[in-house]
Amino acid sequence: MSADVWLLYDGKVGLRSQLVGVAESVGLPFEEKKLTIRYPWKGLPPLLWWNGTAAASRAGDRLSPPWPRLVIAAGGRSAAPALAIRRKNQGRTVVVQIQDPKIPPARFDLMIVSDHDKVRGPNVMVSLGAVHPVTPAKLAAAAALWAPRLGHLPHPRIAVVIGGDNGVYRLTPEIMNGIADQLETLVASGAGLMITTSRRTGAAAESILRARVQGPQVEIWSGTGENPYFGFLGLADHILVTADSVSMITEASASGKPVHVLPLEGGSKKFERFHQAMRVAGITRPFDGRLDSWRYTPQDDTGAAGARIRQIMQDRGLWPT
């Protein structure tokens, strides 16, 4: 039996995080569909995909009936398949698109974009950053779970979230050494560090980090076993996040704690609009080596998205009874 909700994406971890966050806020059972797009579709703009469901190759999940009541798609390569599902189901599927796929928003029941994206419209919902699965309740539960294992770390406890290279930013060895300098200074001042890296950090940067930032006041996740990410955020007094990820910074902001941004090489106008909006909202500040404290109320854009989707489904008579 098909789940009420399908999540369509190309396997990227960042897209999955956004999809799961919105799906959880909707509150219906969901099924993930990781798509691998085949030739010739993968070489064409989504607007030219004449059969979106056929674009999914056997290397990923196929799209076939029974069709779901709701499809939530993320990224450009999932948008056309999502719209094709609605056509094949004779309009009895609500289609929600996360991120602008360069298809007119009016074709979707709802499009969710970050504030730094420029697309707007009556059915476009704008979030300050990225939608995500982090909630205060999850952070509190994770903090309680991890407190016994991290209780030896002194205060202030600092969660350090390291990203890496992407299309516009680079985590060079020089920058990683500079970050290590700052982290060593924090350790020398008596702080406890809870550090996690990402797949994009790279072996060279991670080896610098592990070689230089050590000691009983430091915990660096090995990447194996249970992921302590939510526990780190829940137990932290301060959070340091590299500038390369809208998702990581927005997730950190769900904690309501000071979020300090670590600069990397590069950037773009789009990222700068995001960083500017987060600074203006009083959520983030650039990290200059000092642990300043400030307060803000976390925005629950993900919860608002879930409420709006539920209303759309109810208005269409598609909410399960």
Side-chain angles (χ1 to χ4, degrees), residues 192-216:
L193 303 186
M194 303 172 290
I195 305 173
T196 182
T197 59
S198 80
R199 297 178 182 179
R200 293 181 290 102
T201 303
E206 186 148 351
S207 64
I208 292 170
L209 175 68
R210 293 183 179 277
R212 295 200 47 199
V213 187
Q214 302 180 11

Side-chain angles (χ1 to χ4, degrees), residues 20-87:
V20 169
V22 172
E24 289 179 343
S25 72
V26 172
L28 295 175
F30 60 85
E31 178 181 344
E32 297 182 30
K33 297 285 189 179
K34 298 179 185 178
L35 305 183
T36 300
I37 304 303
R38 60 182 176 175
Y39 180 85
W41 287 270
K42 65 181 179 180
L44 296 172
L47 270 174
L48 300 181
W49 292 19
W50 62 91
N51 187 343
T53 53
S57 77
R58 295 187 182 276
D61 293 325
R62 300 305 299 268
L63 304 175
S64 58
W67 305 115
R69 300 170 185 263
L70 169 66
V71 169
I72 310 174
R77 290 191 169 182
S78 300
L83 293 172
I85 289 170
R86 185 173 63 190
R87 288 194 300 271

